[in-house]
Amino acid sequence: MNRLFSFIFITAVLWLLWLVLAGSLNAQEMMTGAVVAVLVTLLRNDGPCLLGGPEILHPRRILYAILYIPYMMRAIILSNLDVAGRILKPQVAINPGIVKVKTRLKSPVGRMVLANSITLTPGTLAVDITGDTMYIHWVDVESRDAEAASRKIAAGFEKYLEVIFG
Amino acid sequence: MTMPDTPLNLIGAVLTLFGSMFLFLGALGIIRMPDLYNKMQAGTKATTLGNILTLMGLGLLMPGWLPKIVLIILFVLITNPISSHALARAAHKAGLPLAKGSVLDQLREDEDAIAAFEAETQASSGKGVDG
């Protein structure tokens, strides 16, 4: 049941993607898109998938996913202004290092999205992950302690991602 | 392209200008930062926002392209950090050092600790178990 659902769901999303990229709704385009979408879904492996299973359609998750977008946009803009400021100083202003961050997230996809979000935000870049420990390159190390670093870097995203991906 | 003559065109042109400014800053950061990890900080962030703004501006200038442009932005948002993550990880595994003046490297510390632990257990258990 679960597998059938994710098969249909992923195929539908891929088909929609095809139609948007094709930019037309004639029968030929729709047929080709459907065939390709089914083929691609058949060829994917069974690993963690961003689209997930039926639980991804829970209203609470969708709400948090939508709220996550403006939160993320704000973080991206702030991070750019931050890095731009550092670059433009006569003496490049950095205090870099690699710190450990513990994540509360359990699902692999959630951890992937968290790592991506961390990379896109102020002065932090995910370098490696082992279990629930992430190694983050930080342009301006404010704390050497894993707890405090986790709070500063990851907690804001985890609030959302915990609901979206579990 | 003709001169911007509607408010939408004007906003689009301004967005594209800001986008190219951030792309420029990203390039500048790649030159000015001292080591690969810091260069990548500039590279990843600036190119992401630069791309988003430039593409959004383009979308406003050419409203017909907007759906495709939104898809491209999503694609960039997902793939850009993954590629920089892969580069940073490969660099660290290859032993590329952090710039002088870096305060700490807990990943190296942990890797060294694991290596030391493995060497110790190997030594104490004789040549019995082969990893």
Side-chain angles (χ1 to χ4, degrees):
Chain A
M1 188 59 219
N2 224 334
R3 289 178 60 92
L4 182 68
F5 176 89
S6 54
F7 186 89
I8 295 171
F9 186 53
I10 292 169
T11 309
V13 171
L14 288 176
W15 190 47
L16 224 69
L17 221 77
W18 176 285
L19 292 180
V20 172
L21 283 174
S24 84
L25 282 177
N26 71 43
Q28 229 171 12
E29 210 60 83
M30 291 173 82
M31 287 269 284
T32 324
V35 171
V36 172
V38 169
L39 267 179
V40 170
T41 317
L42 282 173
L43 288 174
R44 94 201 156 92
N45 74 358
D46 266 342
C49 175
L50 196 59
L51 297 171
E55 73 275 0
I56 203 85
L57 288 179
H58 191 284
R60 204 170 125 82
R61 287 173 189 242
I62 294 177
L63 176 71
Y64 270 72
I66 292 170
L67 288 178
Y68 192 61
I69 296 170
Y71 183 79
M72 199 60 224
M73 271 322 287
R74 190 176 150 264
I76 290 175
I77 292 170
L78 283 181
S79 90
N80 271 277
L81 296 176
D82 177 76
V83 171
R86 287 174 199 282
I87 293 167
L88 290 176
K89 290 228 175 83
Q91 190 72 40
V92 176
I94 50 173
N95 175 33
I98 295 181
V99 296
K100 271 197 273 196
V101 166
K102 296 263 183 208
T103 172
R104 300 197 302 262
L105 300 176
K106 299 277 180 292
S107 85
V109 179
R111 284 178 180 170
M112 188 273 275
V113 176
L114 177 65
N116 272 9
S117 307
I118 287 174
T119 300
L120 288 174
T121 48
T124 50
L125 176 83
V127 176
D128 205 351
I129 178 166
T130 331
D132 66 347
T133 310
M134 287 182 175
Y135 297 90
I136 310 287
H137 182 266
W138 205 353
V139 162
D140 186 6
V141 176
E142 289 168 37
S143 164
R144 287 149 186 266
D145 170 48
E147 284 275 302
S150 309
R151 256 203 315 280
K152 259 218 125 79
I153 296 175
F157 301 117
E158 280 180 337
K159 226 175 34 203
Y160 293 89
L161 295 177
E162 220 169 20
V163 180
I164 304 172
F165 296 105
Chain B
M1 180 145 298
T2 51
M3 286 292 285
D5 44 6
T6 69
L8 209 62
N9 278 357
L10 192 65
I11 297 170
V14 170
L15 277 184
T16 310
L17 178 68
F18 274 120
S20 43
M21 241 166 58
F22 276 110
L23 287 172
F24 169 73
L25 282 176
L28 192 65
I30 289 176
I31 295 171
R32 291 206 67 193
M33 289 295 199
D35 67 353
L36 177 126
Y37 307 97
N38 288 307
K39 283 176 197 289
M40 218 121 73
Q41 296 266 14
T44 326
K45 289 166 226 300
T47 51
T48 311
L49 187 63
N51 263 323
I52 293 176
L53 288 177
T54 310
L55 288 169
M56 281 307 288
L58 215 58
L60 292 181
L61 290 173
M62 295 275 167
W65 296 355
L66 211 49
K68 286 182 199 181
I69 280 173
V70 170
L71 278 188
I72 297 173
I73 289 176
L74 276 178
F75 182 75
V76 168
L77 270 182
I78 296 174
T79 52
N80 202 338
I82 292 179
S83 60
S84 61
H85 164 73
L87 280 172
R89 185 165 182 274
H92 201 276
K93 292 255 184 257
L96 203 76
L98 271 69
K100 236 190 227 132
S102 297
V103 280
L104 82 168
D105 184 350
Q106 288 181 328
L107 177 55
R108 172 88 340 114
E109 284 167 25
D110 282 10
E111 277 173 356
D112 289 348
I114 291 170
F117 177 75
E118 273 169 0
E120 201 173 290
T121 43
Q122 205 123 70
S124 65
S125 67
K127 300 238 185 295
V129 197
D130 204 24

